[in-house]
Amino acid sequence: MVKILCNLTAIDIDTHHITTLYKTIGENVKKIRKQQGISQLDLALAVGYKSVSSIAKAESLIEKKHFNIEQLYKISKALDVPIEKFFEGI
């Protein structure tokens, strides 16, 4: 559990909620990528990776790997979608 101060009031953020957040983002990236007919390899190369490993792991939250904001920004540009699309359903 993580405590964050917000407007001088402490709020609790359960790690399960954070995991769900990362999982939803990964699923949204995967869904949009597939809708556009883009492979993991093509997306990986478009954002500067040399292999699909990072994309594959973050899309499925394998080994607790997830996308950071810079990666999401690059992916949004590569897929030509607003970055907000990755946060739908959260």
Side-chain angles (χ1 to χ4, degrees):
M1 177 120 20
V2 178
K3 280 196 181 244
I4 298 176
L5 287 180
C6 180
N7 295 328
L8 303 178
T9 303
I11 59 173
D12 291 327
I13 300 175
D14 188 301
T15 55
H16 172 73
H17 289 104
I18 299 299
T19 300
T20 301
L21 169 74
Y22 288 140
K23 185 175 181 181
T24 301
I25 291 168
E27 289 171 350
N28 286 338
V29 169
K30 182 177 183 177
K31 178 181 75 172
I32 294 166
R33 176 184 59 73
K34 285 186 160 194
Q35 287 173 344
Q36 295 188 13
I38 297 172
S39 70
Q40 288 179 329
L41 178 59
D42 288 338
L43 181 58
L45 295 173
V47 298
Y49 296 123
K50 296 185 187 329
S51 73
V52 302
S53 177
S54 294
I55 298 292
K57 288 178 181 179
E59 281 185 350
S60 300
L61 203 62
I62 296 171
E63 298 176 6
K64 297 185 180 182
K65 300 291 183 192
H66 56 81
F67 296 113
N68 65 36
I69 195 69
E70 180 181 342
Q71 292 164 330
L72 290 174
Y73 177 76
K74 289 178 180 179
I75 292 168
S76 75
K77 295 303 177 190
L79 297 177
D80 194 30
V81 297
I83 197 170
E84 296 86 7
K85 287 288 209 184
F86 304 138
F87 296 88
E88 289 182 355
I90 295 174

